[in-house]
């Protein structure tokens, strides 16, 4: 995987970008984004099975009125090793960011999410939210989650949350009682878990992700 030069989203402009990283993928991800006044960044980052990488991502919010939304999905199996290292820097006030990262880990894969939100002293009335949710399909799979807030302003709305769990057996039992096979019930649960990240993506990309989920 290559790291490309950073991207600046200029004032009053919008960038919507989906990046799917899979074995043999050409190109890579930007080393970071700079978001100016009243600009919008909507980024979706998906790691497909068989892909291992350390993925650093820095977002600098430098203009008031900017909004950033980042959705990440990691589908891992075998001995995949993936680390998301995300830093969201709120350098000015009156801005909003939202992060939603999800992992489905199978086999002996090792997945990590390290996320830090930094709110500068002058970045008053910042809204910044960060979530990381993880599904473990096998006992040998590993997930590490480390969401962090570093806040120097006092008029902000910020939160973070994380969870690590397994597929819900009660849900699967209910679906099986309605005539759905156990394997298909498992797939439907995983697709439902990944759905918030896939929302708004082109149908072709959604289908590629769902096919990968079925192979986990």
């Amino acid at each position: 995987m290559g790291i490309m030069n950073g991207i600046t989203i200029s004032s009053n402009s919008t960038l919507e970008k989906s990046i799917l990283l899979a074995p043999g993928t050409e190109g890579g991800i930007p080393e970071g984004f700079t978001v100016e006044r009243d600009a919008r960044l909507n980024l979706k980052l998906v790691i497909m099975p068989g892909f291992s990488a350390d993925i650093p991502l820095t977002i600098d919010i430098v203009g008031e009125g900017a909004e950033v939304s980042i959705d990440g999905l990691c589908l891992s199996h075998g001995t995949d090793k993936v680390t998301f290292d995300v830093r969201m820097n709120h350098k000015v006030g009156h801005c909003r960011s939202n992060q939603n990262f999800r992992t489905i880990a199978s086999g002996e894969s090792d997945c990590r999410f390290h996320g830090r939100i930094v709110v500068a002293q002058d970045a008053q009335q910042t809204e910044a939210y960060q979530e990381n949710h993880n599904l473990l399909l096998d006992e040998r799979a590993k997930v590490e989650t480390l969401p962090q807030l570093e806040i120097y302003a006092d008029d902000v709305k910020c939160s973070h949350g994380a969870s690590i769990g397994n597929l819900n057996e009660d849900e699967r039992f209910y679906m099986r009682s309605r005539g759905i096979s156990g394997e298909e019930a498992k797939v439907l649960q995983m697709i439902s878990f990944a759905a918030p990240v896939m929302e708004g993506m082109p149908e072709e990309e959604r289908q590629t992700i769902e096919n990968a989920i079925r192979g986990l």
Side-chain angles (χ1 to χ4, degrees):
M1 181 196 71
I3 302 296
M4 303 182 295
N5 292 333
I7 294 176
T8 296
I9 300 94
S10 57
S11 298
N12 298 298
S13 62
T14 297
L15 175 62
E16 296 187 357
K17 189 175 184 66
S18 296
I19 301 175
L20 273 65
L21 297 176
T25 300
E26 295 183 2
I29 64 170
E31 63 181 358
F33 294 86
T34 300
V35 188
E36 298 182 344
R37 179 182 291 270
D38 295 319
R40 304 288 183 269
L41 170 62
N42 297 315
L43 175 66
K44 293 183 181 291
L45 180 59
V46 180
I47 310 302
M48 303 294 280
F51 190 92
S52 294
D54 292 332
I55 302 172
L57 184 62
T58 299
I59 299 92
D60 292 318
I61 301 177
V62 300
E64 291 191 356
E67 293 188 6
V68 174
S69 176
I70 300 179
D71 295 306
L73 177 64
C74 179
L75 307 175
S76 64
H77 71 176
T79 57
D80 296 348
K81 293 185 178 181
V82 177
T83 298
F84 285 117
D85 190 352
V86 183
R87 186 180 178 98
M88 183 76 67
N89 295 319
H90 281 264
K91 297 187 174 184
V92 297
H94 303 275
C95 297
R96 178 184 176 90
S97 70
N98 188 74
Q99 301 174 55
N100 181 13
F101 282 80
R102 298 186 173 226
T103 293
I104 303 177
S106 63
E108 299 180 13
S109 57
D110 186 349
C111 302
R112 303 178 183 186
F113 173 79
H114 298 164
R116 182 185 296 268
I117 296 173
V118 182
V119 181
Q121 185 173 1
D122 295 331
Q124 303 294 345
Q125 297 189 22
T126 287
E127 292 187 34
Y129 308 101
Q130 181 186 80
E131 293 184 36
N132 176 230
H133 300 294
N134 305 275
L135 276 181
L136 293 175
L137 302 185
D138 293 294
E139 293 183 356
R140 295 170 298 172
K142 298 178 182 178
V143 169
E144 177 183 274
T145 178
L146 186 62
Q148 301 175 75
L149 297 176
E150 190 174 320
I151 302 172
Y152 299 100
D154 53 16
D155 183 10
V156 301
K157 295 179 180 179
C158 298
S159 67
H160 62 65
S163 66
I164 301 174
N166 307 108
L167 293 171
N168 189 301
E169 293 293 338
D170 291 337
E171 288 181 359
R172 199 182 317 175
F173 177 81
Y174 175 82
M175 285 189 280
R176 292 186 67 181
S177 72
R178 294 299 184 270
I180 300 173
S181 70
E183 186 60 31
E184 184 63 18
K186 176 181 175 182
V187 169
L188 291 175
Q189 284 181 294
M190 291 189 288
I191 290 175
S192 177
F193 177 81
V197 176
M198 295 191 291
E199 184 177 355
M201 296 182 73
E203 180 60 31
E204 182 179 350
E205 293 182 352
R206 288 174 58 92
Q207 192 60 56
T208 297
I209 295 168
E210 290 185 10
N211 289 341
I213 289 174
R214 291 181 180 276
L216 289 177

